[in-house]
Amino acid sequence: MDAMPGELAYRKLSFWHDTVPGSLEPRDPLDGERSADVAIAGAGFTGLWTAYYLKKAQPDLRVVVCEREIAGFGASGRNGGWCSALFPASLSKLDRMGGRDAAIAMYRAMQQTVDEVGAAVAAEGIDCHWAKGGTVQLARSAVQLERARAEIAEAREFGFGPEDLDLLDQDAATAIAAADGVLGGVYTPHCAAIHPSRLARGLAEAVRRHGVALHEATPVTRIEPGALVTAAGTVRARHVIRATEGYTPQLPGEHRTVIPVYSLMIATEPLPDAVWERVGLAARPTFGDLRHMIIYGQRTADGRFAFGGRGAPYHLGSSIRPAYDRVPAVHAALRRTLAELFPVLADFKVTHAWGGPLGIPRDWCASVGLDPATGLGWAGGYVGDGVATTNLAGRTLADLILGQDTSLTRLPWVGHRSPRWETEPLRWLGANAGLQLMSFADRQETRTGRPSRAADLFGRFLGH
Ligand SMILES: Cc1cc2nc3c(=O)[nH]c(=O)nc-3n(C[C@H](O)[C@H](O)[C@H](O)COP(=O)(O)OP(=O)(O)OC[C@H]3O[C@@H](n4cnc5c(N)ncnc54)[C@H](O)[C@@H]3O)c2cc1C
């Protein structure tokens, strides 16, 4: 058998893993049969928050988490660090799914979740470089400005005011982030920039302190009612929770539940104060712009840019390999895009380049649920908005497991089931055509100065 990776390999996963304090050696692998009240597969934010809130609600509950690698190995340790109120389904889509009040309740719950994460990290003494500076989405063309206005109009229709989402003129947007060609933008205060690996590793320590049995280096081979099966032994439990997100297709029976789509990132060297004086981002708001192919960034606590975007290909059969974390062409494009946004960065060094798989359900709507008959539960399909959403998922799963009917268990994503993805090669064709369409739409809009219909087409394919 291959030796499990250790500290050195895990440090190389991302800038965040490279700079997180403490050891990254896997700890406490499972070494035999166990019984528990709740067994969880996966120690990303979903698994960890679920364990955390269960223990807070009922300290004598026996909670076991089995993680194939180390806590925070997956997307949770590698992401853009936007702890935001973004939810992958729009208000209009949630309205169609569960009605207007349900849509509003979902978005309000997300806003409260950002503050709940802030409160939990403060209570547990987790120094994840928390800075609640909001998010600025820049509009750098007339078409993007139109999109900004449409976003505001939708928010207003559902009763969200300027205190939630505000349209910025050119001066106001530039004062926050002095990017090239800014015409305006959208600002929301509901986001904190964090160091994601510090949150994941700190949370893992916290759940251990609260008495959760967290077994790293313990791959789950099968999930079934009453049992989490691993090569080292089976954990028998009334409730068994799947918290494996982008890796879910690797589990038996889950091949078409979500697709793993890679998001890639770079980090620059720490930049001098003179650069930051020209760039702005003083309160560390997270930032992006309103193009179709998503880009996202933050100013890190140690004065770097951490900057990412989609665009890496989906791999046939939903396959996941370490080699897919690094696509030189996509990393080079990210570097170019960052320098286009902030030309003052022309000569900066990129010190880290990495990536990881996130999970996308067929209808692009995250969900959480528990089947009371089988005791099987799940949460995931967050697309690129899981940092805060996993906390809401963890609190909701805790309520569901403890049999409580709460405002959280009535939210519209609870019990929602996305259709499954198509079989291959249709899945491969659809996912990669979608990625191509997004970048085609951006190029077309730059060329014509008019909104691209290609993006609408893709939206319709997804049922947006
Ligand atoms: C590059 C990148 C940037 C992103 N940026 C942002 C952002 O800025 N803001 C935001 O909100 N979201 C962002 N996301 C998405 C966000 O990171 C995820 O939605 C979120 O972290 C999902 O958490 P999770 O615990 O469900 O999944 P993961 O963190 O992926 O955790 C799943 C865990 O399950 C383990 N596992 C898998 N299979 C098994 C098995 N068979 N047995 C045992 N363990 C198993 C994995 O090793 C992993 O640790 C980003 C994602 C990526 C990849």
Side-chain angles (χ1 to χ4, degrees), residues 118-148:
V121 298
E124 295 300 330
I126 300 171
D127 179 7
C128 63
H129 297 167
W130 177 269
K132 195 177 174 206
T135 297
V136 62
Q137 291 278 5
L138 302 168
R140 297 173 60 241
S141 67
V143 179
Q144 290 189 9
L145 202 53
E146 222 21 71
R147 212 168 285 137

Side-chain angles (χ1 to χ4, degrees), residues 199-289:
L199 176 54
R201 301 298 297 170
L203 202 50
E205 282 307 311
V207 301
R208 282 186 163 120
R209 266 196 318 272
H210 289 287
V212 170
L214 168 51
H215 301 291
E216 296 179 310
T218 303
V220 171
T221 51
R222 215 167 60 242
I223 291 177
E224 51 190 52
L228 199 66
V229 181
T230 83
T234 295
V235 183
R236 305 213 170 269
R238 166 77 188 95
H239 292 108
V240 180
I241 307 299
R242 164 169 62 72
T244 47
E245 188 58 343
Y247 307 90
T248 301
Q250 298 175 333
L251 287 168
E254 304 289 351
H255 201 56
R256 290 159 55 202
T257 305
V258 292
I259 55 169
V261 168
Y262 279 76
S263 200
L264 266 51
M265 293 196 68
I266 55 173
T268 67
E269 61 189 328
L271 300 166
D273 291 347
V275 169
W276 287 115
E277 271 155 32
R278 289 179 63 184
V279 164
L281 300 173
R284 295 186 55 218
T286 57
F287 70 92
D289 70 12

Side-chain angles (χ1 to χ4, degrees), residues 44-46 67-68 75-76 79-80 82 220 245 263 296 356 384-387:
F45 291 147
T46 299
E67 162 59 48
R68 181 165 58 192
S76 298
N79 58 66
W82 289 37
V220 171
E245 188 58 343
S263 200
Y296 50 89
D385 299 327
V387 172

Side-chain angles (χ1 to χ4, degrees), residues 81-445:
W82 289 37
C83 182
S84 81
L86 291 171
F87 187 75
S90 67
L91 281 161
S92 313
K93 181 167 174 163
L94 288 170
D95 184 3
R96 288 198 298 278
M97 272 168 56
R100 180 184 159 83
D101 290 349
I104 295 169
M106 188 76 227
Y107 270 49
R108 289 285 178 215
M110 284 302 305
Q111 292 174 352
Q112 287 150 7
T113 297
V114 176
D115 290 329
E116 170 60 28
V117 175
V121 298
E124 295 300 330
I126 300 171
D127 179 7
C128 63
H129 297 167
W130 177 269
K132 195 177 174 206
T135 297
V136 62
Q137 291 278 5
L138 302 168
R140 297 173 60 241
S141 67
V143 179
Q144 290 189 9
L145 202 53
E146 222 21 71
R147 212 168 285 137
R149 291 199 186 100
E151 217 179 280
I152 298 280
E154 186 183 54
R156 297 291 180 270
E157 228 177 89
F158 285 86
F160 294 89
E163 67 288 359
D164 295 310
L165 201 68
D166 207 3
L167 190 64
L168 304 176
D169 63 17
Q170 186 173 33
D171 287 348
T174 308
I176 299 175
D180 197 43
V182 171
L183 301 178
V186 172
Y187 177 77
T188 170
H190 304 299
C191 183
I194 62 159
H195 182 305
S197 204
R198 278 174 165 260
L199 176 54
R201 301 298 297 170
L203 202 50
E205 282 307 311
V207 301
R208 282 186 163 120
R209 266 196 318 272
H210 289 287
V212 170
L214 168 51
H215 301 291
E216 296 179 310
T218 303
V220 171
T221 51
R222 215 167 60 242
I223 291 177
E224 51 190 52
L228 199 66
V229 181
T230 83
T234 295
V235 183
R236 305 213 170 269
R238 166 77 188 95
H239 292 108
V240 180
I241 307 299
R242 164 169 62 72
T244 47
E245 188 58 343
Y247 307 90
T248 301
Q250 298 175 333
L251 287 168
E254 304 289 351
H255 201 56
R256 290 159 55 202
T257 305
V258 292
I259 55 169
V261 168
Y262 279 76
S263 200
L264 266 51
M265 293 196 68
I266 55 173
T268 67
E269 61 189 328
L271 300 166
D273 291 347
V275 169
W276 287 115
E277 271 155 32
R278 289 179 63 184
V279 164
L281 300 173
R284 295 186 55 218
T286 57
F287 70 92
D289 70 12
L290 287 151
R291 71 185 70 198
H292 294 289
M293 185 69 94
I294 287 174
I295 55 165
Y296 50 89
Q298 70 151 289
R299 173 179 177 169
T300 64
D302 67 344
R304 304 165 188 256
F305 271 103
F307 183 70
R310 307 255 174 87
Y314 161 80
H315 299 276
L316 190 70
S318 295
S319 82
I320 295 176
R321 295 204 184 126
Y324 301 161
D325 292 353
R326 292 182 170 89
V327 182
V330 176
H331 281 133
L334 286 172
R335 190 203 155 97
R336 268 197 316 275
T337 305
L338 186 57
E340 271 162 33
L341 281 166
F342 302 104
V344 60
L345 297 178
D347 296 323
F348 69 97
K349 270 204 206 92
V350 167
T351 56
H352 297 75
W354 72 97
L358 43 82
I360 304 191
R362 176 65 175 80
D363 70 357
W364 228 260
C365 186
S367 63
V368 52
L370 179 75
D371 178 348
T374 59
L376 292 177
W378 81 94
Y382 311 107
V383 189
D385 299 327
V387 172
T389 320
T390 47
N391 174 281
L392 185 59
R395 284 184 288 140
T396 307
L397 276 170
D399 286 352
L400 291 169
I401 289 165
L402 299 174
Q404 287 162 5
D405 176 14
T406 65
S407 57
L408 300 190
T409 61
R410 275 174 260 133
L411 289 171
W413 71 324
V414 178
H416 170 74
R417 296 274 189 184
S418 166
R420 288 153 76 75
W421 279 92
E422 287 77 1
T423 49
E424 295 290 24
L426 283 180
R427 204 158 70 232
W428 181 87
L429 282 168
N432 286 319
L435 287 166
Q436 296 293 332
L437 263 179
M438 291 294 115
S439 53
F440 171 76
D442 285 325
R443 285 197 305 276
Q444 199 183 34
E445 287 184 356

